[in-house]
Amino acid sequence: MRVRRMVTSALGSLALVFASMGAVTTAASPAAADPCGFFETGSDAYYNHCTSDGSRVVIKVEVRLARDYERCVAPGKTWLGAASKIDGAYYVGRTC
């Protein structure tokens, strides 16, 4: 009888561990929706300038089959165009 209680207790503890891991994973999902820097959705390309100081920065936008260009972006998410036309974007090291 004592062994049965220990096994039941161990299984219950294990279930709580897995349940809490699932809760943490679920809670973290919305934060990952808009990462900092360049990212794409299924159809669009964006640059997310993550800052708390309100600065505007210059990024270089790499365009597929066209000339790359620089752009000044404010804090937050900026739409760059269709994902099929934008190859990437990155911070060039200066503010604007």
Side-chain angles (χ1 to χ4, degrees):
M1 185 84 159
R2 185 173 188 200
V3 172
R4 179 181 279 169
R5 283 187 194 154
M6 288 174 43
V7 169
T8 303
S9 177
L11 290 174
S13 296
L14 189 59
L16 284 174
V17 168
F18 284 126
S20 67
M21 287 172 60
V24 170
T25 303
T26 302
S29 295
D34 292 335
C36 296
F38 176 76
F39 70 96
E40 295 179 341
T41 63
S43 59
D44 296 304
Y46 296 92
Y47 187 88
N48 191 16
H49 173 43
C50 299
T51 184
S52 60
D53 66 5
S55 63
R56 297 170 63 93
V57 297
V58 178
I59 63 170
K60 181 151 193 170
V61 180
E62 298 172 330
V63 184
R64 186 171 296 142
L65 302 175
R67 177 172 278 174
D68 297 346
Y69 64 91
E70 290 186 350
R71 179 172 182 178
C72 180
V73 296
K77 184 169 69 170
T78 301
W79 183 73
L80 301 176
S84 61
K85 295 183 180 183
I86 305 296
D87 281 335
Y90 59 91
Y91 172 58
V92 299
R94 64 183 193 272
T95 58
C96 50

